[in-house]
Amino acid sequence: MRDFKAELEQRREKGLYRWRRQVETPQRPDMIVDGRSVLSFCSNDYLGLANHPDAIAAVREALPETGVGGGASHLICGHHSAHHRLEQSLANFSRREAALFFSTGYMANMGVVSALAGRGDTIFSDQLNHASLIDGCILSRAQIKRYPHADMAALEALLADTDGHKLVVTDGVFSMDGDIAPLPELVALCKQHDALLVVDDAHGFGCVGPEGRGSAAHFGLSQDDVPIVIGTLGKAFGTSGAFVAGSALMMDYLVQKARTYIYTTAMPPAVAQATCTSIRLVREADDRREHLARLVVRFRREAARLGYALMPSDTPIQPIMVGDAWSALALSKALEARGIWVTAIRPPTVPEGESRLRVTFSASHTEAHLDKLLSALGDAQRELPGHAA
Ligand SMILES: *Cc1c(COP(=O)(O)O)cnc(C)c1O
């Protein structure tokens, strides 16, 4: 039998061991974690909606009508009218013909990729794609061709060299780097090579594009250009679940074929109902998005001045590149000693040697919160010389 204990020990020795912290507050900038008060800069609650009074009220109002549990899968007896209304609202929001509500983004990606490609087909996948897309590729049993991050020349060469059904999958906004995929170029390549484009815009919806309608909308691209788009609802929308949007035909196909849609219990309908409220909040959140953009610009200017290495990102995802896992842990600890919470991101989530602090901003952060982060980063820089750029 494998020595599981030794494997855990090895993880520890390499600085790759992971552990969980206990939070005792809703998601918001000032949190209590393991009994201590901290200012958090690592949540994906980008618009500050996870704790919004309207969303809380929506769950509360829905509960007496819907009950708590989903009861069964959507195809048995779990498909509630609240789920249906949410799908219509998501289709309308994403300007797609139809949408399908999944329990999580992980399941949406696994289900969509494995339904749309199979044995004998080829999937082209950006090297920095999210784990759930990668796992969807593996589950599909298709041949997988990974291309270097956002390298369109490499992708073109691979596409030209491949026959048969082709699927191209990419994050819209890359989860650990914060940059946006070159969607116009991807669209052109997919059209040229008759490949189906799937964009996972978990971090784009809510944050990017007019009304937060995502990366495709940011580039003015429609359903004809990006036929399949995936969004998660646990990030900027502040609730839970995920959706896939595209043509009515493709959504029908997924209802028949996406195993992670078919063989799982429907999410509590009250969550779906609350998400309808979140969509309204997201659309109306231009002031929140503008505030976020201002925080990001100021952070980038001042963190760079302190000597930290940032990535080319305009989104609320602002990684501080550190390098080795131990240094990332040390910087995270130094910040925590000053009451700032930013989790270190290490392999295998990111490539070897690219450990980082993934700083994320929320519209709930104030300029004063940012002051505290920058001051802590300045102190940490003096305390840990040489670990930053
Ligand atoms: C978070 C994330 C997912 C998974 O979504 P969940 O709803 O949290 O399961 C999928 N793709 C990307 C790019 C993500 O960042």
Side-chain angles (χ1 to χ4, degrees):
M1 216 205 299
R2 258 163 72 180
D3 191 344
F4 296 106
K5 189 158 177 271
E7 282 182 39
L8 287 177
E9 278 312 314
Q10 270 171 15
R11 278 212 155 202
R12 261 185 231 279
E13 282 160 18
K14 290 184 183 157
L16 298 179
Y17 188 77
R18 298 164 182 226
W19 66 99
R20 299 167 303 167
R21 315 291 301 270
Q22 276 185 49
V23 167
E24 279 151 43
T25 47
Q27 291 293 320
R28 62 187 194 206
D30 59 307
M31 294 174 80
I32 296 181
V33 54
D34 293 338
R36 265 193 74 211
S37 193
V38 294
L39 186 54
S40 161
F41 285 92
C42 49
S43 170
N44 297 319
D45 179 27
Y46 302 119
L47 296 177
L49 301 183
N51 193 30
H52 193 287
D54 290 4
I56 295 171
V59 179
R60 202 170 264 153
E61 279 161 31
L63 279 172
E65 289 167 37
T66 63
V68 180
S73 68
H74 288 274
L75 295 176
I76 303 295
C77 66
H79 192 58
H80 195 279
S81 64
H83 297 127
H84 212 71
R85 277 196 302 279
L86 172 59
E87 289 181 346
Q88 285 169 334
S89 179
L90 287 165
N92 180 281
F93 170 71
S94 62
R95 308 245 168 121
R96 295 308 197 257
E97 222 174 277
L100 192 61
F101 176 55
F102 278 73
S103 294
T104 70
Y106 203 114
M107 292 171 69
N109 282 342
M110 295 267 284
V112 168
V113 175
S114 61
L116 300 183
R119 235 184 269 280
D121 302 332
T122 310
I123 305 175
F124 302 83
S125 171
D126 188 292
Q127 258 171 8
L128 294 189
N129 276 347
H130 189 262
S132 53
L133 282 176
I134 298 169
D135 291 354
C137 292
I138 295 169
L139 185 63
S140 76
R141 298 179 178 87
Q143 190 187 358
I144 305 161
K145 295 191 177 176
R146 296 176 82 201
Y147 58 91
H149 177 49
D151 185 337
M152 293 298 100
L155 173 60
E156 177 159 35
L158 290 173
L159 282 167
D161 193 39
T162 308
D163 297 321
H165 176 59
K166 304 169 202 177
L167 198 71
V168 174
V169 296
T170 181
D171 282 17
V173 171
F174 285 86
S175 57
M176 295 298 134
D177 289 51
D179 58 327
I180 304 180
L183 291 182
E185 291 80 2
L186 278 161
V187 168
L189 281 180
C190 286
K191 286 186 175 172
Q192 197 183 328
H193 294 273
D194 191 30
L196 179 59
L197 179 59
V198 173
V199 176
D200 168 12
D201 211 14
H203 303 274
F205 279 113
C207 296
V208 173
E211 291 186 310
R213 282 187 287 105
S215 306
H218 165 77
F219 289 112
L221 300 168
S222 67
Q223 180 180 304
D224 284 340
D225 305 310
V226 181
I228 304 282
V229 69
I230 296 154
T232 59
L233 300 167
K235 288 166 183 163
F237 290 86
T239 61
S240 196
F243 67 98
V244 182
S247 71
L249 184 141
M250 289 308 277
M251 294 310 108
D252 183 28
Y253 187 84
L254 290 173
V255 169
Q256 314 303 316
K257 295 276 208 161
R259 294 166 64 86
T260 57
Y261 181 80
I262 299 166
Y263 297 105
T264 194
T265 301
M267 279 279 274
V271 172
Q273 191 131 318
T275 306
C276 291
T277 298
S278 298
I279 295 172
R280 173 178 61 76
L281 295 172
V282 164
R283 297 184 97 134
E284 292 169 354
D286 278 347
D287 51 343
R288 286 174 190 254
R289 281 183 286 271
E290 282 160 24
H291 172 63
L292 253 177
R294 279 193 298 273
L295 291 173
V296 165
V297 166
R298 195 181 139 218
F299 168 78
R300 290 184 63 79
R301 190 176 57 231
E302 300 190 20
R305 194 177 289 155
L306 288 170
Y308 286 101
L310 305 178
M311 295 295 274
S313 160
D314 300 321
T315 66
I317 302 169
Q318 291 294 327
I320 295 177
M321 301 307 283
V322 177
D324 72 279
W326 286 115
S327 303
L329 285 173
L331 181 56
S332 177
K333 249 179 109 178
L335 292 181
E336 196 175 340
R338 289 163 179 83
I340 303 285
W341 190 14
V342 189
T343 308
I345 307 286
R346 297 161 288 160
T349 305
V350 292
E352 198 70 47
E354 292 186 25
S355 288
R356 65 196 71 182
L357 261 60
R358 179 177 177 271
V359 175
T360 51
F361 289 96
S362 161
S364 307
H365 285 125
T366 63
E367 295 285 346
H369 290 148
L370 176 54
D371 291 341
K372 283 190 186 161
L373 171 64
L374 289 165
S375 144
L377 282 170
D379 290 349
Q381 186 70 298
R382 282 183 288 279
E383 185 181 310
L384 303 166
H387 81 272

